């Protein structure tokens, strides 16, 4: 009986160790796919390094980003929020091919760190990007109807 319990404990430890490694590997280095605001929030909170949209969705709040991450919009849209992203000191963020629309307090706020926007579309936002002097690059972005 004792040897059976010992073998089971070893097996359980190996299995749990493998599962923990898989989750960390998925969030730190591999692409995390998001199809909802909650998925996006979970990926950002877990400090995922690459996040890719799989659908258009409505925002439920501004997400603070203080780490290095690439967000691939894949042509999808995030819309209807007070704002979508706030880049904090330590944040090194690249956002590619994402449409951001109908933000009431600015789609993106850059208060620290760096931000590169590539082929993004800003449409009908109260403010497209708030920028306080941190590093900001726009590459092939479009702006339509922002105030």
């Amino acid at each position: 009986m004792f040897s059976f319990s010992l073998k089971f404990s070893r097996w359980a430890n190996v299995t749990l160790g493998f599962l923990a490694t898989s989750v960390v590997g998925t969030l730190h280095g591999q692409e995390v796919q998001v199809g909802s605001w909650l998925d996006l929030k979970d990926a950002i909170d877990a400090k995922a390094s690459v996040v890719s949209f799989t659908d258009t969705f409505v925002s439920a709040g501004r997400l603070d980003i203080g780490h290095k991450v690439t967000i691939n919009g894949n042509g999808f849209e995030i819309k209807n929020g007070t704002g979508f992203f706030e880049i904090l000191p330590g944040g090194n963020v690249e956002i590619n091919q994402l449409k951001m629309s109908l933000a009431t307090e600015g789609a993106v706020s850059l208060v620290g760190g760096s931000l590169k926007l590539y082929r993004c579309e800003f449409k009908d936002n109260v403010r497209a990007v708030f920028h306080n002097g941190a590093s900001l690059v726009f590459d092939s972005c479009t702006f339509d109807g922002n105030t």
Side-chain angles (χ1 to χ4, degrees):
M1 185 72 156
F2 179 73
S3 63
F4 176 75
S5 296
L6 183 60
K7 288 180 183 177
F8 181 76
S9 295
R10 286 183 184 162
W11 176 81
N13 287 339
V14 169
T15 301
L16 291 175
F18 172 75
L19 290 174
T21 301
S22 296
V23 170
V24 170
T26 300
L27 296 177
H28 298 286
Q30 295 181 11
E31 183 177 30
V32 176
Q33 296 188 351
V34 298
S36 70
W37 184 88
L38 186 56
D39 292 345
L40 178 61
K41 181 182 183 319
D42 289 346
I44 296 299
D45 288 348
K47 297 185 176 11
S49 56
V50 179
V51 176
S52 291
F53 278 54
T54 61
D55 203 354
T56 290
F57 52 85
V58 174
S59 170
R62 186 183 307 270
L63 298 173
D64 294 339
I65 304 175
H67 66 283
K68 183 175 182 175
V69 62
T70 299
I71 299 171
N72 296 314
N74 298 318
F76 291 108
E77 177 180 16
I78 186 170
K79 59 185 175 180
N80 297 342
T82 54
F84 308 124
F85 305 107
E86 183 161 323
I87 315 308
L88 304 172
N92 179 355
V93 180
E94 182 176 319
I95 302 175
N96 303 306
Q97 298 180 323
L98 181 62
K99 181 178 180 180
M100 293 170 260
S101 64
L102 304 169
T104 59
E105 295 180 14
V108 179
S109 292
L110 179 60
V111 296
S114 65
L115 174 62
K116 179 179 180 186
L117 298 154
Y118 175 71
R119 299 184 93 180
C120 290
E121 181 180 346
F122 294 89
K123 184 171 173 65
D124 300 325
N125 299 291
V126 170
R127 180 181 351 173
V129 177
F130 171 78
H131 174 248
N132 77 342
S135 176
L136 174 62
V137 175
F138 293 101
D139 186 350
S140 305
C141 294
T142 60
F143 299 83
D144 182 24
N146 301 287
T147 57

